[in-house]
Amino acid sequence: MTDKPNDLLLLAGKILTIISQVALAIGALALLIVAPLVLFFRDKINAEIALDTANAAGPIPMAALLGLFAIGFTMIALTFVFLGKLRAIISSVGDGDPFIPDNAERLNFMAWIMLAVQALMIPTAALALFLTEWSQELEDAEISIDAGLDIDGILIVVILFILARVFKHGAAMREDLEGTV
């Protein structure tokens, strides 16, 4: 039996995950469109940069920019999958059956996804810092990058791994209880 506030909370969770997945899909699509356009128009982009900076900045570092796009796309895809797993857990809670082995596996997979996202932050920061150094030659370029350790992200990974074990243990206890009844 679920209370009305819980039902509203679960509904809000489902709606937010769906909206977030739609936004992520749009972001991924934008990267898939922009990356080839940047490659196709790189000569025009470099000509504009040269004109604006009197050749002080040099050509845009395409490898770094495309690498940033690729890592960004990967992080978006991983987050999309993460939210899909979260939505499945929310659905199982709404069904009144959250302590199932599937949810333990989902939480464990979600933890690995978040660990991968945290690991991808390292090359993302490196490429962003490289592009920031390059962009300092541009006029009126006031770009700063805050590249530090994300304690919150690491904490989420640890919490998810712990919750996966809790759910696995809860599912095992439920199976034992059902077996004795």
Side-chain angles (χ1 to χ4, degrees):
M1 180 183 339
T2 58
D3 297 331
K4 218 33 166 174
N6 278 344
D7 293 345
L8 291 176
L9 182 61
L10 294 176
L11 179 62
K14 275 187 181 181
I15 291 170
L16 285 174
T17 54
I18 291 169
I19 290 170
S20 297
Q21 282 186 305
V22 168
L24 288 168
I26 292 169
L29 182 63
L31 281 175
L32 288 176
I33 292 170
V34 168
L37 288 176
V38 168
L39 271 177
F40 185 74
F41 291 111
R42 72 176 160 222
D43 292 336
K44 287 187 178 191
I45 293 170
N46 285 328
E48 285 292 322
I49 291 170
L51 184 64
D52 287 347
T53 65
N55 289 324
I60 190 167
M62 277 298 160
L65 185 61
L66 293 175
L68 201 55
F69 286 172
I71 293 170
F73 180 82
T74 303
M75 291 172 74
I76 287 171
L78 288 170
T79 306
F80 185 91
V81 172
F82 178 93
L83 290 171
K85 298 290 183 187
L86 179 60
R87 196 160 32 94
I89 291 172
I90 292 169
S91 292
S92 72
V93 172
D95 294 341
D97 198 17
F99 288 103
I100 55 175
D102 286 348
N103 280 348
E105 291 173 19
R106 287 178 185 128
L107 285 164
N108 196 54
F109 192 65
M110 289 166 64
W112 284 111
I113 288 172
M114 289 307 297
L115 185 61
V117 168
Q118 291 301 308
L120 286 171
M121 294 298 270
I122 297 167
T124 300
L127 288 172
L129 286 170
F130 178 77
L131 287 169
T132 299
E133 287 177 18
W134 170 81
S135 71
Q136 296 304 319
E137 300 296 325
L138 301 174
E139 291 180 24
D140 301 324
E142 289 295 325
I143 300 172
S144 65
I145 300 290
D146 181 21
L149 187 62
D150 183 13
I151 299 297
D152 293 339
I154 294 168
L155 184 61
I156 288 172
V157 170
V158 171
I159 289 170
L160 285 169
F161 276 125
I162 291 169
L163 282 174
R165 289 187 179 171
V166 168
F167 272 68
K168 184 177 180 180
H169 187 69
M173 287 175 61
R174 195 180 90 188
E175 281 181 18
D176 287 345
L177 183 63
E178 288 174 356
T180 58
V181 174

